[in-house]
Amino acid sequence: MLRTFRIGGVHPPENKLSAGKPITPLAIPAQVIIPLSQHIGAPAQAVVKKGDMVKVGTLIGKSGGFVSANIHSSVSGKVNKIDNVLDASGYKRPAVIIDVTGDEWEESIDRSETLEKNCTLEPKEIIDKITACGIVGLGGATFPTQVKLTPPPGNKADLVIINAVECEPYLTSDHSLMLEKPEEILVGVTLLMKAVNVSKAVIGIENNKKDAIALLTRLSAGYPGIEVMPLKVQYPQGGEKQLIDAVIRKQVKSGALPISAGALVQNVGTAYAVYEAVQKNKPLVERVVTVTGKGVSNPSNFLVRIGTPINLLIDAAGGIPEDTGKIIGGGPMMGKALITPEVPVTKGSSGVLILSKEESARKPASNCIRCAKCVSACPMGLNPALLARSSSFSNWEIAEKNYITDCIECGSCSFTCPAHRPLLDFIRLGKGKVMGIIRARKS
């Protein structure tokens, strides 16, 4: 019997319209907009100025602290300006704008297709390369990878878990990457294992990707210590705590880091980026992005340079359908509506979802009928109805006492609510307020 996590979860329609589509390199745009904050933590600090010439892989933003990440140019050309521009969240943030003049790469980057399996570097040297290349979590959270690989004192990983679940409906970027770059991913997993000094890794893949499961299972036989584990299809299995529960049957305590359960979790796309950084000296300058939707004429998986305006991806997939209601950055459950399709692709851009007006329209909310479906669906074992009500009445003490900060914002509660109440909206607002209160109290 296939494993899954043991608390809550839902099964929204999968709608993997772009599954099986090959990864298509997108044409380099005439101009890129590269935000200096593409990760959790402090923004990078610009190290270039207007008029500077850069190549693909040139450092343009230096990490701004321990929890931060370097930013590199994804194109070659001339720095037009450094300015505040709209990002996917709708806020203006600093970005480096570069006019493209060619496609010249830094000489240190190995652009060959040769698979480099052997690595003689020490763990610290591996982590240093990952740090230098600006690798972050590519599953959406964008946590700087080097920080995860250096856990707090007293915490040690017993195994590496690779998140190849891709449980969010519609998205197929990870699936396509597994089919086209399986050996590179496996080498990346061995590098992660070496970096944290463990001898075992498990690649968790949901059972709706049987071709990827079969391929990686066959190839992993040549990589000691790596196991491929098929998992039952259940959302939000891509959450770190849910994946740890599914794979090793351990619960992460409230407020504790996933490493406390002895597991280091990394996205499958991150494993590939680690391979490119360590074995090819390639910074994170491009990634696979799914462009999809029921009205999209050509749902696709594109290899896209960081900083490319999202409207160019949509054009390549057939353009914006006439009845478009919303354009979502990410998937339908955890993604956020974009204020404009001209915002740039960032390291955390896993997909672009175009919904029709009918699909994107919210149904009128009615009174809560106390059915407790949201409680049954919550993968963190919370009471979403209570948390939403506490937030709506600004009762922050009750919200904190009922663990509102444990919410992973997966949207399972809103999805399952028969009264169509905007539970997650209230909880997200309340969570931000309570976290601010906690920070103020500690300071």
Side-chain angles (χ1 to χ4, degrees):
M1 185 175 179
L2 295 175
R3 292 187 182 186
T4 188
F5 56 98
R6 294 169 289 178
I7 299 174
V10 293
H11 192 173
E14 294 173 22
N15 290 320
K16 303 284 190 177
L17 308 176
S18 50
K21 295 288 186 73
I23 298 172
T24 305
L26 194 74
I28 302 170
Q31 185 184 75
V32 293
I33 303 164
I34 304 180
L36 291 168
S37 182
Q38 299 184 46
H39 47 265
I40 287 177
Q45 303 299 312
V47 294
V48 292
K49 61 185 184 301
K50 180 178 179 178
D52 285 353
M53 300 301 295
V54 296
K55 300 177 182 179
V56 179
T58 300
L59 182 72
I60 60 173
K62 181 74 174 169
S63 64
F66 176 65
V67 183
S68 188
N70 288 338
I71 305 289
H72 300 78
S73 175
S74 61
V75 295
S76 63
K78 187 176 185 178
V79 175
N80 179 295
K81 59 181 175 178
I82 299 170
D83 200 1
N84 291 323
V85 297
L86 283 173
D87 67 4
S89 66
Y91 292 98
K92 284 194 171 184
R93 304 188 195 277
V96 179
I97 300 168
I98 303 171
D99 295 328
V100 178
T101 59
D103 192 29
E104 188 178 355
W105 291 56
E106 290 285 354
E107 291 77 8
S108 59
I109 300 172
D110 179 0
R111 299 182 62 194
S112 71
E113 293 293 322
T114 308
L115 180 70
E116 300 291 344
K117 295 180 68 171
N118 298 321
C119 177
T120 58
L121 299 178
E122 294 297 317
K124 184 182 183 304
E125 293 174 309
I126 293 174
I127 295 173
D128 287 345
K129 273 203 168 188
I130 289 168
T131 304
C133 288
I135 309 303
V136 302
L138 296 185
T142 64
F143 197 81
T145 302
Q146 78 273 8
V147 179
K148 266 196 179 183
L149 297 177
T150 51
N155 292 278
K156 186 186 182 303
D158 298 318
L159 83 163
V160 170
I161 297 177
I162 299 299
N163 180 359
V165 168
E166 199 163 45
C167 60
E168 183 85 40
Y170 286 96
L171 303 187
T172 60
S173 55
D174 286 349
H175 187 184
S176 62
L177 190 64
M178 287 187 280
L179 294 178
E180 296 197 23
K181 301 292 182 181
E183 290 238 58
E184 289 86 347
I185 289 169
L186 290 167
V187 175
V189 176
T190 64
L191 294 169
L192 289 167
M193 293 164 65
K194 188 173 183 179
V196 292
N197 193 28
V198 300
S199 58
K200 182 180 179 183
V202 177
I203 303 175
I205 311 177
E206 285 194 332
N207 204 40
N208 56 0
K209 306 172 189 65
K210 294 183 185 297
D211 47 1
I213 292 170
L215 179 61
L216 284 171
T217 298
R218 175 172 60 81
L219 294 176
S220 64
Y223 294 83
I226 298 179
E227 173 191 353
V228 176
M229 181 180 290
L231 298 169
K232 181 182 176 182
V233 178
Q234 183 88 330
Y235 178 86
Q237 197 150 226
E240 278 190 299
K241 295 181 179 181
Q242 286 66 45
L243 187 56
I244 289 170
D245 183 27
V247 172
I248 60 174
R249 286 293 184 260
K250 285 187 178 181
Q251 298 278 347
V252 180
K253 294 180 180 178
S254 175
L257 295 171
I259 192 68
S260 65
L264 177 87
V265 182
Q266 294 284 359
N267 177 263
V268 68
T270 309
Y272 177 66
V274 165
Y275 164 79
E276 292 205 303
V278 177
Q279 303 295 78
K280 299 288 188 176
N281 294 312
K282 181 183 174 183
L284 185 48
V285 295
E286 59 187 359
R287 67 155 298 151
V288 181
V289 182
T290 298
V291 182
T292 185
K294 292 178 182 176
V296 174
S297 61
N298 182 30
S300 303
N301 302 300
F302 294 116
L303 181 64
V304 186
R305 300 287 178 96
I306 302 298
T308 301
I310 281 175
N311 60 296
L312 298 183
L313 283 71
I314 297 173
D315 290 345
I320 299 177
E322 285 187 12
D323 67 339
T324 295
K326 281 184 181 178
I327 300 175
I328 307 291
M333 299 297 286
M334 294 186 75
K336 294 180 174 63
L338 300 179
I339 192 168
T340 169
E342 294 177 1
V343 299
V345 168
T346 63
K347 295 178 182 180
S349 301
S350 55
V352 178
L353 171 61
I354 301 176
L355 297 177
S356 68
K357 291 176 182 176
E358 181 182 354
E359 291 171 309
S360 60
R362 290 197 177 197
K363 295 180 180 178
S366 56
N367 292 333
C368 175
I369 60 173
R370 306 296 194 274
C371 67
K373 282 190 174 182
C374 61
V375 178
S376 299
C378 180
M380 295 303 295
L382 306 177
N383 184 335
L386 172 62
L387 295 176
R389 189 163 59 249
S390 302
S391 298
S392 66
F393 287 104
S394 301
N395 196 329
W396 311 126
E397 184 179 356
I398 287 180
E400 182 179 353
K401 284 183 177 178
N402 285 275
Y403 304 100
I404 194 170
T405 56
D406 281 358
C407 172
I408 61 173
E409 303 181 27
C410 67
S412 295
C413 54
S414 295
F415 174 81
T416 197
C417 178
H420 310 298
R421 298 186 65 77
L423 299 172
L424 178 58
D425 296 37
F426 282 118
I427 293 171
R428 185 178 279 138
L429 290 169
K431 178 182 172 183
K433 182 67 175 179
V434 169
M435 289 177 75
I437 291 170
I438 292 171
R439 284 194 298 269
R441 189 164 64 225
K442 286 181 178 179
S443 63

